[in-house]
Amino acid sequence: MGKVYECIVIGAGIAGLQAAIQLGRYQHEVLIIDSEAGRSTLCRNYHNLLGWPDGVSGQTLRDLGKKQAESYGVPFVTDKVENAITDKNIFLLKTTNGQTYQAKRVLLATGISDRIPEIPNLKPCLGLTIFVCPDCDGYEVKNKKVLVLGAGSAGASLALTLTYWTKDITYINHEAEDIEDKLQKKLSKKGIKYVREKINEVLTEKESSFKGVLLESGQTIKADRAFIAFGGNKVHSELAKQLGVERLENKHLLVDPRTKETNVPNVWAAGDIVAHSEQVSIAMGDGCQAAIWIHKSIMSGNE
């Protein structure tokens, strides 16, 4: 059927790339399969990373990471793994393009996808003037007028979190989902303005500079910056399920905290598929840690 790789990494986001670089430096026979649709492609500027004081885009990190891994002889395939099975201790990975790849070990780094409604002009602002993660970008809205574009309790909870950085917050419940009474009271207590109405479009200047929103009623609400919180993010752990990996109720994966190996021998996992930290630095650490233990497995002859 073809070559059997020592390890195949599924997903070339931040965790997968860091693992690829480490495994490449070990000179192992590794393959990276990636659909090029990871959430890191959406973020235009990470501001909280060591060594990047002026920020760096997710795409820049991906491009640099791929080039670095390739310099160690690591090949990349643009495709999506749809099906994963085991046959006599070999993993068979079948892709959308009809290819089957074989490996003795697998690292799952398929991450998550944010649920982002199709609101006109929203996506070009992501990572620049509209943000997702308060731990990454709460600082960017310090003392600014902020809108939270969201749904139900997910949006309400984020609005409350942002009161650490600013007191001028309006939460727009785009999907008009019900909010728990206790959250409603907290919003009121914190002085967060609440609007329960559909957003027709995001208002911008020069495409990526957020200026506010136009509501379905025709009302315009202006602001300096925005966050999104629609809930229902998708955890891409379907392949893990096919392989028998233990998943939590929220579909994230359980791994050994030291090795990043799952309950299934020779299957590792790293990045947001494990713990939704939304932190590039943590994803890098996960990928490196998993790669080190994959190397140990290879050297020990554990098949």
Side-chain angles (χ1 to χ4, degrees):
M1 189 180 290
K3 184 173 185 176
V4 179
Y5 290 90
E6 289 179 300
C7 181
I8 290 180
V9 179
I10 305 175
I14 306 304
L17 285 170
Q18 186 66 64
I21 291 166
Q22 187 71 23
L23 289 168
R25 288 174 62 84
Y26 286 130
Q27 300 182 297
H28 292 310
E29 290 191 329
V30 182
L31 176 69
I32 314 300
I33 304 175
D34 182 57
S35 63
E36 296 187 346
R39 71 198 304 257
S40 56
T41 61
L42 293 175
C43 188
R44 308 299 198 281
N45 216 347
Y46 296 110
H47 288 96
N48 64 337
L49 285 179
L50 176 68
W52 299 91
D54 297 321
V56 60
S57 73
Q59 192 60 55
T60 295
L61 287 177
R62 288 170 66 96
D63 292 344
L64 291 172
K66 182 179 180 182
K67 184 177 180 181
Q68 190 173 352
E70 287 176 332
S71 74
Y72 296 118
V74 177
F76 284 71
V77 169
T78 301
D79 205 343
K80 182 179 180 181
V81 179
E82 298 278 4
N83 185 258
I85 61 173
T86 55
D87 182 24
K88 298 178 181 178
N89 296 323
I90 299 295
F91 297 100
L92 304 180
L93 308 176
K94 299 180 180 181
T95 71
T96 302
N97 291 338
Q99 301 296 313
T100 298
Y101 297 92
Q102 301 180 91
K104 296 178 181 179
R105 297 161 192 81
V106 171
L107 171 58
L108 299 170
T110 44
I112 69 165
S113 294
D114 298 285
R115 187 172 72 86
I116 306 174
E118 292 297 325
I119 300 174
N121 307 324
L122 191 159
K123 287 185 179 179
C125 296
L126 285 176
L128 294 174
T129 52
I130 297 179
F131 308 106
V132 176
C133 170
D135 296 307
C136 302
D137 293 312
Y139 183 85
E140 303 304 315
V141 303
K142 181 181 177 182
N143 298 326
K144 287 181 167 58
K145 185 172 184 178
V146 177
L147 301 186
V148 173
L149 320 179
S153 296
S157 296
L158 178 58
L160 290 166
T161 298
L162 292 176
T163 58
Y164 180 83
W165 296 107
T166 180
K167 304 304 178 188
D168 194 346
I169 301 171
T170 299
Y171 168 38
I172 303 174
N173 188 352
H174 171 69
E175 296 176 349
E177 289 184 11
D178 291 335
I179 300 175
E180 300 173 13
D181 288 342
K182 63 179 181 180
L183 278 178
Q184 286 268 26
K185 291 176 182 178
K186 287 181 179 179
L187 291 176
S188 179
K189 185 176 180 181
K190 289 287 188 178
I192 297 171
K193 295 177 280 293
Y194 176 56
V195 177
R196 181 170 169 150
E197 191 175 338
K198 184 178 179 180
I199 301 164
N200 266 10
E201 66 175 302
V202 166
L203 304 176
T204 64
E205 185 178 278
K206 296 180 180 178
E207 187 180 26
S208 61
S209 181
F210 176 80
K211 295 300 177 183
V213 297
L214 174 66
L215 300 179
E216 190 173 43
S217 65
Q219 179 187 0
T220 295
I221 301 179
K222 295 184 178 181
D224 304 311
R225 296 288 186 270
F227 269 81
I228 60 171
F230 292 99
N233 292 346
K234 181 177 177 58
V235 183
H236 296 292
S237 58
E238 299 88 352
L239 295 175
K241 182 180 180 181
Q242 292 174 20
L243 292 171
V245 173
E246 186 174 358
R247 301 194 298 175
L248 300 170
E249 288 185 12
N250 61 9
K251 298 184 180 180
H252 287 282
L253 305 185
L254 283 174
V255 298
D256 184 300
R258 185 181 183 204
T259 68
K260 304 302 174 184
E261 191 171 13
T262 70
N263 63 299
V264 176
N266 294 325
V267 177
W268 283 260
D272 278 344
I273 193 176
V274 176
H276 188 192
S277 64
E278 295 190 357
Q279 295 297 313
V280 169
S281 54
I282 293 174
M284 286 181 177
D286 270 8
C288 185
Q289 194 170 355
I292 288 170
W293 284 90
I294 290 169
H295 168 68
K296 290 177 184 293
S297 169
I298 294 171
M299 295 307 293
S300 69
N302 180 16
E303 306 297 347

